[in-house]
Amino acid sequence: MFAVPKPQQNYLLAALPAQALERLLPHLEPVELPLGKVLYESGGALRHVYFPTDAIVSLLYVMENGASAEISVVGNEGLIGVAVFMGGESTPSRAVVQSAGHALRLPGQQLKDEFNRHEEMLLLMLRYTQALITQMAQTAVCNRHHSIDQQLCRWLLLSLDRLPGNELTMTQELIANMLGVRREGVTDAAGKLQRLGVIEYSRGHIKILDRARLEELSCECYAVVRRETERLLPYFPLRRDS
């Protein structure tokens, strides 16, 4: 048995108008999200949306040859499955659990009904979607123009913002798949951060020791995404601890 996640643990659910949340509550189903679980595949119909509470989910684009790269991460600030209320019903990306935890699952039709019914909820969801698009666009730029070292710092910071503590469980192979780079590049970048005393890494376990230094070593992409997230999602308390 796992601890049942609560709607208040997802900041987007907590920010919904009280009447809208009350109507959704009977339909929210607690689910466990183990590491590596695929929530949906590219091109598949989206029948549910997921509101993570203490898990992180990566959205990946997968090429025909199997190569992949992450385009965004979603945690307790949002939801998985924006295509449901944007009218697409499917998406070319794959959603994979990056950090194990829990979520609340909701039938897509329930969300669409509420989205069309409540103007305040519609605005909130659209602002979240704009923040997600900003993250996707900045990730594309970062992957093209910045070093693996900088990309790893950005990725760690985005993940850290969506977790309650300073530790992540993630192998170098999985990080390489997320960033779309060779595993050796991630090994080298992680080794540099460890020698600088920024992280402690051992057997897939990453502990952030110096967040301030991690931000200094990251490219401007993290700051761009952070500013836009703070502007669009004032309900999401981005971390400033070290």
Side-chain angles (χ1 to χ4, degrees):
M1 294 294 292
F2 61 87
V4 178
K6 300 177 181 178
Q8 294 77 12
Q9 291 175 274
N10 179 279
Y11 290 103
L12 182 55
L13 280 177
L16 292 180
Q19 290 181 334
L21 179 58
E22 186 176 347
R23 284 190 289 267
L24 293 180
L25 283 176
H27 307 284
L28 290 169
E29 175 192 2
V31 292
E32 193 166 7
L33 300 182
L35 179 66
K37 179 179 176 63
V38 177
L39 300 185
Y40 56 74
E41 285 285 4
S42 172
L46 304 185
R47 296 183 174 83
H48 295 86
V49 296
Y50 295 80
F51 296 89
T53 55
D54 58 355
I56 299 178
V57 178
S58 291
L59 303 184
L60 305 169
Y61 265 76
V62 183
M63 307 299 288
E64 289 182 358
N65 64 1
S68 64
E70 183 180 81
I71 56 172
S72 64
V73 294
V74 178
N76 57 359
E77 88 289 2
L79 64 86
I80 308 298
V82 295
V84 167
F85 60 81
M86 295 297 288
E89 304 297 339
S90 67
T91 175
S93 62
R94 171 191 290 169
V96 182
V97 178
Q98 167 191 307
S99 180
H102 308 86
L104 290 162
R105 185 170 66 181
L106 179 72
Q109 189 59 50
Q110 297 294 332
L111 184 68
K112 284 194 289 186
D113 291 346
E114 202 58 50
F115 182 85
N116 293 324
R117 174 187 293 150
H118 206 295
E119 182 179 353
E120 189 177 343
M121 180 175 179
L122 182 151
L123 179 61
L124 184 65
M125 292 293 179
L126 291 180
R127 288 173 71 91
Y128 168 70
T129 302
Q130 184 177 341
L132 190 63
I133 291 172
T134 297
Q135 187 189 154
M136 291 177 175
Q138 203 66 39
T139 297
V141 172
C142 189
N143 291 348
R144 176 65 178 84
H145 293 286
H146 294 141
S147 68
I148 295 176
D149 295 14
Q150 292 172 314
Q151 291 179 49
L152 178 60
C153 291
R154 170 187 57 80
W155 183 86
L156 288 172
L157 287 164
L158 287 172
S159 299
L160 195 60
D161 281 340
R162 290 156 176 80
L163 291 172
N166 293 329
E167 302 182 14
L168 302 88
T169 300
M170 176 65 62
T171 65
Q172 290 182 358
E173 184 176 359
L174 284 174
I175 295 174
N177 288 338
M178 299 297 177
L179 298 180
V181 300
R182 292 173 61 85
R183 179 179 176 180
E184 292 79 5
V186 173
T187 300
D188 184 55
K192 291 178 184 177
L193 291 177
Q194 184 156 255
R195 288 192 294 273
L196 289 170
V198 177
I199 67 171
E200 183 179 278
Y201 182 83
S202 177
R203 298 186 180 184
H205 185 80
I206 304 172
K207 183 176 182 180
I208 310 301
L209 303 176
D210 189 344
R211 181 189 172 112
R213 181 69 171 138
L214 191 63
E215 291 191 24
E216 289 177 7
L217 294 170
S218 179
C219 51
E220 72 265 28
C221 296
Y222 171 69
V224 170
V225 172
R226 184 185 182 105
R227 284 195 300 269
E228 192 70 352
T229 300
E230 288 179 325
R231 184 180 75 85
L232 292 167
L233 310 180
Y235 63 81
F236 182 46
L238 283 164
R239 297 171 54 168
R240 297 186 181 277
D241 52 356
S242 60

